PDB file of all heavy atoms in Angstrom:
ATOM      1  N   VAL A   6       3.238   6.188  -2.712  1.00 44.00           N
ATOM      2  CA  VAL A   6       4.423   6.882  -3.222  1.00 44.00           C
ATOM      3  C   VAL A   6       4.281   7.113  -4.726  1.00 44.00           C
ATOM      4  O   VAL A   6       4.570   8.200  -5.224  1.00 44.00           O
ATOM      5  CB  VAL A   6       5.712   6.085  -2.900  1.00 44.00           C
ATOM      6  CG1 VAL A   6       6.903   6.657  -3.643  1.00 44.00           C
ATOM      7  CG2 VAL A   6       5.952   6.082  -1.407  1.00 44.00           C
ATOM      8  N   VAL A   7       3.810   6.103  -5.444  1.00 45.00           N
ATOM      9  CA  VAL A   7       3.604   6.239  -6.893  1.00 45.00           C
ATOM     10  C   VAL A   7       2.574   7.306  -7.178  1.00 45.00           C
ATOM     11  O   VAL A   7       2.749   8.142  -8.065  1.00 45.00           O
ATOM     12  CB  VAL A   7       3.207   4.879  -7.515  1.00 45.00           C
ATOM     13  CG1 VAL A   7       2.741   5.053  -8.946  1.00 45.00           C
ATOM     14  CG2 VAL A   7       4.366   3.914  -7.448  1.00 45.00           C
ATOM     15  N   ALA A   8       1.494   7.324  -6.415  1.00 46.00           N
ATOM     16  CA  ALA A   8       0.441   8.320  -6.618  1.00 46.00           C
ATOM     17  C   ALA A   8       0.952   9.725  -6.345  1.00 46.00           C
ATOM     18  O   ALA A   8       0.680  10.663  -7.102  1.00 46.00           O
ATOM     19  CB  ALA A   8      -0.757   8.010  -5.730  1.00 46.00           C
ATOM     20  N   LEU A   9       1.710   9.876  -5.271  1.00 45.00           N
ATOM     21  CA  LEU A   9       2.261  11.190  -4.944  1.00 45.00           C
ATOM     22  C   LEU A   9       3.255  11.650  -6.002  1.00 45.00           C
ATOM     23  O   LEU A   9       3.237  12.812  -6.420  1.00 45.00           O
ATOM     24  CB  LEU A   9       2.932  11.148  -3.567  1.00 45.00           C
ATOM     25  CG  LEU A   9       3.525  12.463  -3.071  1.00 45.00           C
ATOM     26  CD1 LEU A   9       2.430  13.517  -2.949  1.00 45.00           C
ATOM     27  CD2 LEU A   9       4.223  12.267  -1.745  1.00 45.00           C
ATOM     28  N   THR A  10       4.092  10.753  -6.466  1.00 48.00           N
ATOM     29  CA  THR A  10       5.062  11.086  -7.509  1.00 48.00           C
ATOM     30  C   THR A  10       4.365  11.503  -8.793  1.00 48.00           C
ATOM     31  O   THR A  10       4.735  12.483  -9.434  1.00 48.00           O
ATOM     32  CB  THR A  10       5.988   9.885  -7.788  1.00 48.00           C
ATOM     33  OG1 THR A  10       6.617   9.504  -6.576  1.00 48.00           O
ATOM     34  CG2 THR A  10       7.031  10.225  -8.830  1.00 48.00           C
ATOM     35  N   ALA A  11       3.331  10.791  -9.155  1.00 45.00           N
ATOM     36  CA  ALA A  11       2.589  11.125 -10.376  1.00 45.00           C
ATOM     37  C   ALA A  11       1.879  12.465 -10.234  1.00 45.00           C
ATOM     38  O   ALA A  11       1.793  13.235 -11.187  1.00 45.00           O
ATOM     39  CB  ALA A  11       1.585  10.034 -10.698  1.00 45.00           C
ATOM     40  N   THR A  12       1.385  12.753  -9.046  1.00 46.00           N
ATOM     41  CA  THR A  12       0.715  14.030  -8.830  1.00 46.00           C
ATOM     42  C   THR A  12       1.694  15.180  -8.968  1.00 46.00           C
ATOM     43  O   THR A  12       1.412  16.173  -9.641  1.00 46.00           O
ATOM     44  CB  THR A  12       0.062  14.061  -7.433  1.00 46.00           C
ATOM     45  OG1 THR A  12      -0.842  12.978  -7.332  1.00 46.00           O
ATOM     46  CG2 THR A  12      -0.662  15.363  -7.207  1.00 46.00           C
ATOM     47  N   VAL A  13       2.858  15.044  -8.363  1.00 45.00           N
ATOM     48  CA  VAL A  13       3.872  16.098  -8.465  1.00 45.00           C
ATOM     49  C   VAL A  13       4.390  16.201  -9.890  1.00 45.00           C
ATOM     50  O   VAL A  13       4.579  17.293 -10.419  1.00 45.00           O
ATOM     51  CB  VAL A  13       5.031  15.822  -7.483  1.00 45.00           C
ATOM     52  CG1 VAL A  13       6.181  16.771  -7.710  1.00 45.00           C
ATOM     53  CG2 VAL A  13       4.520  15.928  -6.047  1.00 45.00           C
ATOM     54  N   ALA A  14       4.581  15.068 -10.554  1.00 45.00           N
ATOM     55  CA  ALA A  14       5.092  15.076 -11.919  1.00 45.00           C
ATOM     56  C   ALA A  14       4.080  15.656 -12.895  1.00 45.00           C
ATOM     57  O   ALA A  14       4.453  16.191 -13.937  1.00 45.00           O
ATOM     58  CB  ALA A  14       5.469  13.669 -12.358  1.00 45.00           C
ATOM     59  N   GLY A  15       2.811  15.602 -12.574  1.00 46.00           N
ATOM     60  CA  GLY A  15       1.775  16.100 -13.463  1.00 46.00           C
ATOM     61  C   GLY A  15       1.555  17.593 -13.378  1.00 46.00           C
ATOM     62  O   GLY A  15       0.525  18.087 -13.810  1.00 46.00           O
ATOM     63  N   CYS A  16       2.506  18.316 -12.850  1.00 56.00           N
ATOM     64  CA  CYS A  16       2.329  19.743 -12.634  1.00 56.00           C
ATOM     65  C   CYS A  16       2.687  20.597 -13.849  1.00 56.00           C
ATOM     66  O   CYS A  16       2.769  21.811 -13.732  1.00 56.00           O
ATOM     67  CB  CYS A  16       3.145  20.191 -11.438  1.00 56.00           C
ATOM     68  SG  CYS A  16       2.509  19.530  -9.885  1.00 56.00           S
ATOM     69  N   VAL A  17       2.954  20.001 -14.975  1.00 65.00           N
ATOM     70  CA  VAL A  17       3.225  20.769 -16.181  1.00 65.00           C
ATOM     71  C   VAL A  17       1.918  21.413 -16.624  1.00 65.00           C
ATOM     72  O   VAL A  17       0.888  20.749 -16.703  1.00 65.00           O
ATOM     73  CB  VAL A  17       3.777  19.849 -17.296  1.00 65.00           C
ATOM     74  CG1 VAL A  17       3.958  20.615 -18.586  1.00 65.00           C
ATOM     75  CG2 VAL A  17       5.079  19.222 -16.857  1.00 65.00           C
ATOM     76  N   SER A  18       1.955  22.716 -16.877  1.00 74.00           N
ATOM     77  CA  SER A  18       0.722  23.393 -17.261  1.00 74.00           C
ATOM     78  C   SER A  18       0.258  22.914 -18.628  1.00 74.00           C
ATOM     79  O   SER A  18       1.034  22.389 -19.417  1.00 74.00           O
ATOM     80  CB  SER A  18       0.929  24.904 -17.286  1.00 74.00           C
ATOM     81  OG  SER A  18       1.836  25.257 -18.299  1.00 74.00           O
TER      82      SER A  18
END
Side-chain angles (χ1 to χ4, degrees):
V6 169
V7 169
L9 182 61
T10 303
T12 302
V13 171
C16 292
V17 175
S18 66

